[in-house]
């Protein structure tokens, strides 16, 4: 076997790097900063050239943009999906560091079976560092995205935003234009990425299609939404952590019913094809999306799924008086396995904060004997079990919630008056809150103990988190009736561990 000079040099570089960093009496190399420059510079990495497709593309394939997501301390998922492709397509990907040097690259095959989506885990990256990335196929190059890898240590403050509910029909996406421009490490998406419905109740634009039933229907709906430049910009600027709510399948979805299994499988497959997520593709009406993403010693994002495993809404659902069924202790929001998983995730977290990425409102919000049976109010025994899990954790707890298309801030308080944490409910990007109920919601939430409630505005929430304090700024757009609208901060809040939320 002939050893080329190049591979010999590579081998030497690897040995040097190991020698410099792993000696017992040397400082260990768990921080790449310490090791930079200790060996010869790494050879340049070449971006491979993808094979020409058997069937030429009818046009530019990158019209849905790029995205990154689910980072850990050495890797991040890179996503795109080819439009107009038939058969298999080779796609090249590359990751560049802050000095525009290629630090990782490879080839991946986009298949028709997976809707020509691409999910690459770009690995071997440096912790707490930013990168850019792009894709190439058949002579076309994608837009450039930015991604980051997370710190394992304290690091600087974490800045993230959370958002949900972008009904295409209800309003324009000025909020995404502003979200894209925020300086953020991460975006957490709490669900209702698409709305499955047809047309008929539009306020600014149509879906142009009936309600989604098949995989092709859901794919087309994601393609409609993801073609929007503001949404693409919000994705391209930093990684997202994504969970779903009901409208990714159907309104007020409660998983598991046989009659909806085909639709659920189609919806889950299309969701996976369009999201920058790390889990394998679903092969039927089931996909585990609960996971923990850890940012240094500051925060653990505990991503939960309150749809797939829940008991069906009690008492016929909707907003109604609670019937006896509500109190049944066997009723579940998360399912038995996920409940145990959440309890473990909360109690074993080694970060200052646990941020629970949650779908529907957790805090009790009954008003004049009426409860929203789709929310945790319809699952009080399951809520008590989650409260018990939160109570047994040493970390500060902040629950971030979507679904309701209104903002609210409130403390989570146990029956004996013990402070458990804080719930921050974010409003929608564009989905409507019924105008005739907005005042009622605000009165009801305040009467139930919320420090703030606002059902009149759309937007997102920006959070700045250190080990000692968690700050939240509610960002609202003036209007979703106009394609472009100014943003402002409607209120700001600070949480210190063990204390109630305070206005700033
Ligand atoms: Fe929604
Ligand atoms: Ca929802």
């Amino acid at each position: 076997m002939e050893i080329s000079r190049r591979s010999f040099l590579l081998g030497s570089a690897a040995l040097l790097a190991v020698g410099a960093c792993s000696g017992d009496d040397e400082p260990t190399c768990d921080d790449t900063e310490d090791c930079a420059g200790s060996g010869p510079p790494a050879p340049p990495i070449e971006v491979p050239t993808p094979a020409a497709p058997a069937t030429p593309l009818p046009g530019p394939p990158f019209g849905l943009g790029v995205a990154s997501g689910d980072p850990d301390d050495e890797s991040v998922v890179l996503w795109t999906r080819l439009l107009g492709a038939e058969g298999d397509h080779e796609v090249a990907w590359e990751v560049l560091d802050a000095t525009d040097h290629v630090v990782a690259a490879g080839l991946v095959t986009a298949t028709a079976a997976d809707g020509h989506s691409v999910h690459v885990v770009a690995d071997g990256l440096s912790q707490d560092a930013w990168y850019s990335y792009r894709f190439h196929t058949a002579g076309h190059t994608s837009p450039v995205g930015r991604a980051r890898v997370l710190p394992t240590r304290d690091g600087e403050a974490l800045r993230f935003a959370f958002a949900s509910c972008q009904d295409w029909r209800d309003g324009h996406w000025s909020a995404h234009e502003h979200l894209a421009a925020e300086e953020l490490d991460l975006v957490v998406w709490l669900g209702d990425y698409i709305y499955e419905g047809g047309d008929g109740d539009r306020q600014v634009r149509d879906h142009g299609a009936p309600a989604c039933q098949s995989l092709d229907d859901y794919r087309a709906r994601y393609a409609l939404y993801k073609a929007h430049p503001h949404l693409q910009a919000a994705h391209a600027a930093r990684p997202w952590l994504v969970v779903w709510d009901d409208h990714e399948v159907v309104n007020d979805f409660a998983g598991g019913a046989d009659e909806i299994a085909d639709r659920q499988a189609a919806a889950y497959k299309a969701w996976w094809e369009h999201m920058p997520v790390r889990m394998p593709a679903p092969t039927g009406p089931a996909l585990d999306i609960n996971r923990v993403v850890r940012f240094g010693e500051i925060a653990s994002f505990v991503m939960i799924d309150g749809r797939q495993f829940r008991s069906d809404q009690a008492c016929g659902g909707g907003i109604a008086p609670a019937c006896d069924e509500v109190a049944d202790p066997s009723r579940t929001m998360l399912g038995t396995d996920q409940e145990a998983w959440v309890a473990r995730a909360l109690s074993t977290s080694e970060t200052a904060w646990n941020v629970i990425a949650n779908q529907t409102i957790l805090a009790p919000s009954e008003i004049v004997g009426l409860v929203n049976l789709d929310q945790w109010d319809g699952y009080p025994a399951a809520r008590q079990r989650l409260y018990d899990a939160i109570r047994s954790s040493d970390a500060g707890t902040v629950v971030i919630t979507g679904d309701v298309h209104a903002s609210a801030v409130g403390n989570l308080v146990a029956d004996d008056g013990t402070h458990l944490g804080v719930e921050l409910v974010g409003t929608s990007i564009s989905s409507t809150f019924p105008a005739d109920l907005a005042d009622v919601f605000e009165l009801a939430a305040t009467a139930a103990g919320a420090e703030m409630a606002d059902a009149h505005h759309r937007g997102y929430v920006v959070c700045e988190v250190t080990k000692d304090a968690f700050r939240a700024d509610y960002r609202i757009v003036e209007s979703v009736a106009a394609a472009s609208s100014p943003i402002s901060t409607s209120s700001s809040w600070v949480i210190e561990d063990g204390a109630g939320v305070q206005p700033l």
Side-chain angles (χ1 to χ4, degrees):
M1 164 182 159
E2 190 181 63
I3 298 175
S4 72
R5 179 172 161 76
R6 183 160 178 272
S7 64
F8 173 74
L9 286 173
L10 267 173
S12 307
L15 282 175
L16 274 172
V18 169
C21 296
S22 66
D24 276 340
D25 46 359
E26 300 279 332
T28 51
C29 189
D30 56 1
D31 180 342
T32 33
E33 300 279 338
D34 298 341
C35 283
S38 60
I45 292 175
E46 283 180 24
V47 182
T49 304
T55 309
L57 290 162
F62 292 111
L64 303 186
V66 298
S68 69
D70 283 356
D72 62 18
D73 60 357
E74 58 179 15
S75 67
V76 60
V77 175
L78 309 177
W79 173 93
T80 192
R81 181 189 160 208
L82 307 182
L83 290 176
E86 286 181 40
D88 289 354
H89 275 251
E90 260 189 359
V91 179
W93 56 274
E94 60 176 319
V95 177
L96 302 96
D97 67 11
T99 58
D100 276 345
H101 284 98
V102 179
V103 295
L107 283 175
V108 61
T109 302
T111 66
D114 285 340
H116 296 100
S117 63
V118 171
H119 298 78
V120 169
V121 178
D123 209 344
L125 304 178
S126 298
Q127 64 161 290
D128 206 10
W130 281 93
Y131 296 93
S132 58
Y133 64 93
R134 59 185 176 177
F135 301 91
H136 311 271
T137 195
H140 299 277
T141 294
S142 76
V144 174
R146 291 175 74 241
R148 108 193 286 308
V149 172
L150 302 184
T152 54
R153 296 186 189 157
D154 181 18
E156 291 175 43
L158 156 67
R159 276 180 67 85
F160 75 96
F162 67 92
S164 62
C165 294
Q166 52 185 5
D167 194 322
W168 177 263
R169 302 162 298 186
D170 285 1
H172 290 289
W173 289 353
S174 206
H176 276 311
E177 186 176 11
H178 297 292
L179 181 62
E182 301 274 1
E183 204 170 299
L184 302 169
D185 295 295
L186 297 165
V187 166
V188 182
W189 182 264
L190 298 174
D192 289 1
Y193 194 99
I194 58 160
Y195 282 71
E196 84 291 354
D199 292 320
D201 54 354
R202 92 186 159 99
Q203 299 186 44
V204 302
R205 53 195 170 185
D206 284 329
H207 279 145
C212 298
Q213 299 285 345
S214 69
L215 178 54
D216 282 347
D217 296 341
Y218 283 103
R219 281 174 173 164
R221 188 60 49 86
Y222 280 99
L224 173 71
Y225 281 43
K226 290 192 74 81
H228 197 289
H230 294 341
L231 177 58
Q232 288 186 18
H235 272 290
R238 80 290 286 187
W240 285 35
L241 313 178
V242 180
V243 287
W244 55 40
D245 194 21
D246 51 339
H247 285 285
E248 281 85 350
V249 183
V250 63
N251 184 41
D252 282 359
F253 178 62
D258 285 345
E259 63 268 22
I260 202 175
D262 288 348
R263 192 180 187 188
Q264 182 182 355
Y268 281 11
K269 183 70 183 342
W271 179 88
W272 177 87
E273 288 175 357
H274 292 85
M275 295 297 123
V277 288
R278 202 180 272 261
M279 70 278 304
T283 55
L287 181 63
D288 288 339
I289 66 166
N290 57 303
R291 58 207 190 274
V292 175
V293 176
R294 175 180 166 167
F295 190 98
E297 294 167 2
I298 296 178
S300 297
F301 292 93
V302 181
M303 316 292 294
I304 65 174
D305 175 359
R307 286 292 169 189
Q308 185 175 188
F309 305 107
R310 66 159 69 192
S311 312
D312 203 5
Q313 287 84 355
C315 328
I319 296 172
C323 63
D324 290 346
E325 187 191 352
V326 165
D328 180 347
S330 72
R331 289 175 51 69
T332 177
M333 180 65 99
L334 302 176
T336 311
D337 291 351
Q338 192 183 193
E339 269 188 20
W341 175 87
V342 169
R344 217 165 37 242
L346 296 178
S347 64
T348 58
S349 135
E350 294 174 337
T351 51
W353 301 93
N354 287 330
V355 182
I356 303 178
N358 166 57
Q359 284 82 20
T360 57
I361 290 183
L362 179 62
S365 40
E366 178 177 330
I367 173 76
V368 294
L370 299 176
V371 295
N372 184 335
L373 293 159
D374 186 53
Q375 299 177 347
W376 285 85
D377 266 344
Y379 304 78
R383 173 168 57 203
Q384 186 58 50
R385 294 191 292 271
L386 180 57
Y387 274 18
D388 293 344
I390 290 171
R391 194 169 188 161
S392 67
S393 159
D394 294 332
T397 300
V398 178
V399 177
I400 55 175
T401 299
D403 178 66
V404 73
H405 310 172
S407 304
V409 170
N411 292 300
L412 298 171
V413 183
D415 282 345
D416 64 2
T418 305
H419 175 82
L420 298 175
V422 170
E423 182 170 27
L424 303 174
V425 182
T427 183
S428 58
I429 290 290
S430 60
S431 306
T432 296
F433 192 101
D436 51 340
L437 294 176
D439 292 336
V440 177
F441 172 86
E442 292 174 5
L443 284 169
T446 311
E451 304 290 318
M452 180 276 277
D454 172 8
H456 288 87
H457 294 96
R458 314 279 79 82
Y460 53 87
V461 182
V462 172
C463 301
E464 184 161 323
V465 192
T466 65
K467 281 202 230 179
D468 301 321
F470 190 118
R471 176 189 168 128
D473 292 294
Y474 277 75
R475 308 275 283 154
I476 56 168
V477 291
E478 199 171 279
S479 166
V480 293
S484 195
S485 178
I487 190 114
S488 62
T489 300
S490 60
S491 66
S492 298
W493 304 85
V494 68
I495 308 158
E496 288 171 10
D497 187 17
V501 61
Q502 298 288 334
L504 267 177

